[in-house]
Amino acid sequence: MSLRQIGWLLFLAGLPFAHFVYHRVDIWHAQTAWAQAGLAGVFCLGLLKTERPIVRNLPLACFTLWVCWQTLAIWQHELPGAKQYPSSLLMPWLHTMCLSFFYLAATTQWTHTFLEELFKWLSRVAALITGYGVLQVCNLDQFYRFIDGSKQVDTLMGTIGNPSHFGISLALLLPIVLMRSRWYWKLLAIGMLLLIGLSQSAVGVVCGIMALTWWCGWHRRKLLWLPIVILLMGSLWVAKHPTYLNPEGRLEALQLNWQDYADTAGVERHHAKPTITGFGLGYIMARSQIVPATSMLHSWKHIHNAPLQVLMELGVIGFGLLLWSLCAYWKRFWQVRQHPLATICAGIFLLFSFSSLFHFTDHLWVTAAMGLIGYCGVYVLGAEQVG
């Protein structure tokens, strides 16, 4: 195994446990620091040697160009009036550029044999975080008890620090675990599904059922009855416990954000809203800091809906480029769908895309990295097929 491959494994397999290393900051910032340090390392190693030339991706190239041009335009527009650099643009711009850096490094360095090795290690990661979740269920957590001091028992949150995100992160790992052939991996998958249910994450449960359906549909069609039965049983349970589907203000927040984006009441014609070009990266976070504390938007630093956030911050242009990228991805998957690794990658990306409609999983590195693995993996397999 090469140094680059070891670097990738440390980066991606170690990501959920980053807070044990960077314990002086909160969980999400620790994972961000680990991810950016790891990405910088593997990207720079890729400058020394690559497995193949750059894998062409015109939609991603156009999306990246638009992000840079829009950020530069806002930078130049605000600089004369503010008399200082609008440095708040730099962090969201860096986060967005990490997507392109990740793609460039992964598609020039990965092979199908490395993907197999990566999935082996990620299945072991799934076992570890599932085990940690079991400890939390048994009230034996040692390191994350401080997060919710109002409870007398441990909160089921894994190492990501949030029950809903923990359920989703387990679901994102399910396509990998389900493809492992040994019987104990199937037991692990059952345990993961049970923990997803205990996490009380409605989106996580739906993603778990989707993962099981995806696996059965592609590889075990005789078992398609299983996710259907689980769905029916879950629906009956939810019917008796309607609070399980509590949207927690999402519908109201979506409405307020749409009004902020599209409502022109009180806006003079010569002060039109930038609906086509976008408000700029980091707008949602910046807005939460200036709206009144009584407003719901004060506490919603993310929209919890990736398409709407892209539409607001990058405009119709950025949203259109996002749709183009998604269409190009699924077209590429269809070309390599016969490869067993392709169905794993596409399954992960499907679950990630669905979860980002209701959560900010695209803003958290543990879940976003899984989405990037699913995205880049299909392009790697496509490049090998062409080659």
Side-chain angles (χ1 to χ4, degrees):
M1 188 179 298
S2 68
L3 180 62
R4 287 181 292 117
Q5 292 173 335
I6 294 174
W8 276 108
L9 293 177
L10 287 173
F11 164 24
L12 296 173
L15 186 53
F17 313 105
H19 189 248
F20 294 114
V21 178
Y22 299 104
H23 59 276
R24 292 181 178 272
V25 295
D26 64 80
I27 296 173
W28 294 345
H29 281 96
Q31 292 167 349
T32 298
W34 180 280
Q36 291 177 342
L39 180 56
V42 295
F43 183 84
C44 291
L45 287 174
L47 298 177
L48 304 177
K49 182 182 178 181
T50 60
E51 296 291 337
R52 69 177 62 83
I54 296 173
V55 179
R56 187 175 184 271
N57 191 329
L58 183 58
L60 180 60
C62 293
F63 183 84
T64 305
L65 182 63
W66 173 245
V67 167
C68 292
W69 277 359
Q70 187 220 45
T71 303
L72 181 61
I74 296 174
W75 183 283
Q76 296 296 332
H77 179 266
E78 293 188 0
L79 181 58
K83 303 299 183 183
Q84 61 182 357
Y85 294 118
S87 56
S88 60
L89 284 171
L90 294 179
M91 186 57 71
W93 175 79
L94 173 61
H95 288 163
T96 307
M97 292 302 297
C98 282
L99 307 179
S100 300
F101 293 150
F102 192 105
Y103 174 86
L104 187 62
T107 54
T108 55
Q109 299 178 37
W110 290 3
T111 63
H112 76 277
T113 54
F114 172 74
L115 273 174
E116 292 174 349
E117 189 67 24
L118 175 61
F119 289 156
K120 288 180 182 178
W121 280 95
L122 289 180
S123 60
R124 293 163 185 161
V125 168
L128 286 175
I129 63 175
T130 299
Y132 199 85
V134 171
L135 290 177
Q136 291 173 334
V137 171
C138 297
N139 201 34
L140 295 174
D141 190 4
Q142 176 179 345
F143 301 103
Y144 296 104
R145 304 184 70 132
F146 65 90
I147 292 180
D148 192 349
S150 64
K151 295 184 178 180
Q152 298 300 315
V153 296
D154 296 339
T155 302
L156 179 58
M157 62 180 70
T159 60
I160 199 171
N162 179 285
S164 295
H165 297 148
F166 177 56
I168 294 170
S169 65
L170 284 177
L172 291 173
L173 289 165
L174 262 178
I176 299 173
V177 175
L178 286 169
M179 286 296 291
R180 303 301 299 273
S181 57
R182 297 295 181 89
W183 60 270
Y184 46 80
W185 293 114
K186 300 302 185 285
L187 286 180
L188 175 62
I190 294 172
M192 292 169 69
L193 286 169
L194 290 175
L195 278 185
I196 291 172
L198 291 174
S199 71
Q200 298 186 356
S201 169
V203 176
V205 169
V206 174
C207 285
I209 296 174
M210 288 174 62
L212 188 59
T213 305
W214 180 266
W215 175 71
C216 292
W218 282 100
H219 304 286
R220 296 289 188 277
R221 292 189 178 180
K222 292 182 179 180
L223 295 178
L224 271 174
W225 58 268
L226 183 57
I228 296 175
V229 170
I230 295 176
L231 179 61
L232 291 175
M233 293 176 61
S235 300
L236 291 174
W237 191 87
V238 169
K240 294 183 178 181
H241 303 82
T243 56
Y244 192 84
L245 294 179
N246 179 16
E248 298 178 341
R250 280 176 173 78
L251 298 179
E252 183 181 352
L254 287 174
Q255 183 180 7
L256 290 174
N257 279 291
W258 178 255
Q259 290 176 353
D260 186 26
Y261 170 73
D263 190 1
T264 58
V267 179
E268 299 182 15
R269 297 298 298 176
H270 62 284
H271 289 153
K273 289 186 175 181
T275 51
I276 296 176
T277 57
F279 291 91
L281 293 173
Y283 169 76
I284 306 302
M285 175 67 77
R287 183 192 60 188
S288 70
Q289 298 171 353
I290 61 174
V291 296
T294 55
S295 172
M296 173 178 282
L297 298 179
H298 177 75
S299 58
W300 285 69
K301 298 177 175 59
H302 314 272
I303 294 183
H304 293 64
N305 182 281
L308 181 55
Q309 184 144 354
V310 170
L311 181 63
M312 291 188 67
E313 296 191 343
L314 297 177
V316 173
I317 297 175
F319 183 74
L321 293 172
L322 174 65
L323 292 180
W324 182 20
S325 298
L326 291 175
C327 291
Y329 172 83
W330 289 109
K331 180 181 178 182
R332 180 61 66 98
F333 162 69
W334 193 251
Q335 295 171 349
V336 297
R337 65 188 183 278
Q338 299 302 326
H339 200 297
L341 294 178
T343 57
I344 297 178
C345 293
I348 294 171
F349 188 72
L350 175 65
L351 300 177
F352 168 76
S353 301
F354 177 79
S355 65
S356 67
L357 297 175
F358 307 95
H359 286 274
F360 50 94
T361 48
D362 53 317
H363 293 188
L364 300 175
W365 263 104
V366 168
T367 49
M370 293 301 299
L372 285 169
I373 291 170
Y375 181 81
C376 296
V378 164
Y379 278 91
V380 169
L381 297 173
E384 288 192 343
Q385 187 180 73
V386 172

